[in-house]
Amino acid sequence: MEPLKVHKQKLKILVTGGAGYIGSHTVVELAKAGFEPVIVDDFSNSHPYVLQGIEKIIGYEPITYHMNCRNLDDLDQIAKEHDDIKGLVHFAAYKLVGESVKEPIKYYENNLDSNISVTKFCLKNGIRSVVFSSSCTVYGLPDKLPVSEAAPLKEAESPYGRTKQIGEYFFEDCIKALHPLNVISLRYFNPIGADPSSEIGELPIGIPNNLVPYITQTGAGLRELLTVFGDDYSTPDGTCVRDYIHVSDLAQAHIAALSKLLSDQSTEPKIEYFNIGTGRGYSVLEIIRAFEKVSGKSLPHVIGPRRKGDVPMIYADPSKALKDLGWRAEYNIEEALSHAWKWEQRLPELNLKQTG
Ligand code: UFG
């Protein structure tokens, strides 16, 4: 979809969690599409370097508020300084599945509270257009693959997943109450990779939980070897299958969603859901082989036990996003892994090498 005709007017978009992994890539795409992103981030899970990285790509440092979006007084301050915010992209949330199992209070408190404050902020300031950062985890263990938006939300595998389900129900209830909001909930599959410029990318704190940063850190010699969590699933090669999507493609989906919201003339409150994936699943072993191909390195790995809470196989039916948003993933798996690998190799030079 052609990014909005109005983009020459530099519409201001508030991006909570805009210094995070997906947030920062979305800020870049917003700026490239002619929007003016305004970041709110408490930097609890992001590095201040990200702002420099963004600046290197877009040519200026985006307006950034170092604050927690759960604090309405702080948000009011932003509204005072910018009375022309036209849309909100709400990323700010905790996202570690394993941690959420151990610390449910932390997850419920942060992820649900932030939905409430940003919504109050939007209602108070007449901001109708909201993109909510959701996840394919809302489907739980799907009955049918590829999973489409029509699939029922089954029991979530973790408190994190539940907070995303509740987030969607929360917005749905606000719509039913006729609050003047137009919401698009994007259900992300597995984001990987980095901006092709290698100026920004994923910066996991401590030992990575996710597959691709663990692989790139192992490739870089920071980790001894990768453990494949289980090879006895009923999948083609016994390892779990996921729909890995390049983070810049994912970022582009936000531009498409915002463009749809901002050009919608109707004043009727509504919420829509979209799967944001490629439609193609890859097993853990296929990802290892693809990484070996793009990096020219052999990746030391062992097969270990299953990880609790892992769904054996999930991949998207992304056809609704193509039909209604004009969006589809452009990068293939090798490009995504190659960008992740290039980024990993840049970290020492940027003094960002993370260990732990
Ligand atoms: N895996 C390994 N070894 C590792 C890390 C991961 O074998 O060291 C495997 C996992 O078992 C899984 C696959 O790689 O089969 C992908 O795992 P990730 O942790 O990278 O991703 P998940 O699919 O578990 O989780 C991601 C996001 C969540 C989101 C979820 C939705 O991290 O935020 O997708 O399915 F909720």
Side-chain angles (χ1 to χ4, degrees):
M1 182 183 280
E2 175 62 17
L4 270 197
K5 287 196 196 79
V6 280
H7 56 97
K8 288 201 180 62
Q9 296 165 18
K10 284 234 174 208
L11 297 185
K12 253 182 216 165
I13 307 294
L14 193 66
V15 187
T16 72
Y21 174 43
I22 306 174
S24 57
H25 288 80
T26 301
V27 163
V28 164
E29 299 304 331
L30 279 168
K32 283 186 184 168
F35 291 98
E36 184 170 0
V38 177
I39 297 176
V40 190
D41 202 302
D42 68 358
F43 288 82
S44 60
N45 192 26
S46 41
H47 197 287
Y49 163 79
V50 168
L51 300 177
Q52 289 170 50
I54 293 174
E55 185 175 0
K56 283 189 212 153
I57 303 170
I58 67 173
Y60 64 93
E61 191 172 315
I63 302 166
T64 302
Y65 289 88
H66 190 145
M67 55 175 70
N68 189 311
C69 68
R70 282 163 57 200
N71 189 328
L72 258 180
D73 292 339
D74 283 352
L75 289 180
D76 278 343
Q77 192 53 39
I78 300 179
K80 274 199 200 109
E81 288 168 28
H82 306 274
D83 62 359
D84 51 350
I85 292 171
K86 297 292 179 218
L88 172 88
V89 186
H90 179 40
F91 291 106
Y94 294 145
K95 61 169 187 181
L96 298 179
V97 174
E99 185 182 64
S100 79
V101 175
K102 292 194 195 110
E103 298 183 64
I105 296 174
K106 175 173 168 180
Y107 275 70
Y108 280 85
E109 188 174 50
N110 186 58
N111 293 5
L112 304 183
D113 255 17
S114 63
N115 293 341
I116 295 168
S117 356
V118 299
T119 303
K120 282 183 171 170
F121 168 80
C122 287
L123 295 176
K124 202 167 161 185
N125 293 289
I127 299 165
R128 292 177 50 83
S129 302
V130 175
V131 181
F132 176 58
S133 192
S134 188
S135 161
C136 68
T137 194
V138 298
Y139 294 116
L141 192 62
D143 292 325
K144 239 175 55 192
L145 289 174
V147 66
S148 85
E149 294 84 352
L153 303 195
K154 309 260 297 285
E155 166 122 27
E157 299 290 317
S158 68
Y160 161 73
R162 253 185 236 269
T163 66
K164 289 294 168 188
Q165 290 180 331
I166 297 170
E168 291 193 347
Y169 288 132
F170 164 73
F171 283 113
E172 217 164 273
D173 286 337
C174 290
I175 303 300
K176 281 188 194 142
L178 298 181
H179 291 342
L181 295 168
N182 192 356
V183 182
I184 287 185
S185 177
L186 298 180
R187 293 173 175 167
Y188 312 147
F189 283 68
N190 289 52
I192 62 166
D195 189 84
S197 66
S198 302
E199 300 294 356
I200 56 169
E202 194 167 5
L203 279 171
I205 292 173
I207 301 171
N209 287 270
N210 297 116
L211 180 65
V212 170
Y214 206 104
I215 286 180
T216 55
Q217 290 196 4
T218 307
L222 279 173
R223 313 273 159 214
E224 205 180 321
L225 83 178
L226 170 80
T227 302
V228 176
F229 296 142
D231 71 346
D232 57 353
Y233 287 98
S234 52
T235 57
D237 65 17
T239 65
C240 291
V241 170
R242 294 287 182 276
D243 186 335
Y244 296 93
I245 171 154
H246 194 296
V247 65
S248 299
D249 278 333
L250 186 57
Q252 279 292 343
H254 297 77
I255 312 306
L258 269 175
S259 301
K260 183 172 197 296
L261 293 170
L262 293 167
S263 57
D264 186 349
Q265 300 298 316
S266 140
T267 53
E268 192 195 323
K270 59 169 126 24
I271 178 161
E272 283 189 285
Y273 303 95
F274 291 98
N275 283 342
I276 303 300
T278 66
R280 162 82 154 91
Y282 286 91
S283 74
V284 177
L285 293 179
E286 284 178 309
I287 294 295
I288 294 174
R289 279 196 293 275
F291 174 77
E292 290 181 330
K293 189 172 161 200
V294 300
S295 66
K297 279 178 167 279
S298 113
L299 192 85
H301 60 278
V302 286
I303 307 294
R306 292 180 174 195
R307 181 172 72 176
K308 204 167 163 284
D310 269 343
V311 171
M313 172 135 80
I314 186 161
Y315 54 95
D317 171 354
S319 54
K320 188 176 175 221
L322 179 60
K323 187 169 135 282
D324 294 352
L325 299 178
W327 173 91
R328 72 159 162 242
E330 300 292 343
Y331 289 108
N332 64 32
I333 194 72
E334 285 169 5
E335 288 164 326
L337 287 168
S338 141
H339 293 161
W341 178 230
K342 256 173 68 187
W343 167 245
E344 180 70 50
Q345 290 172 292
R346 271 241 45 218
L347 296 183
E349 166 199 338
L350 295 171
N351 236 341
L352 288 170
K353 189 143 281 248
Q354 309 226 340
T355 50

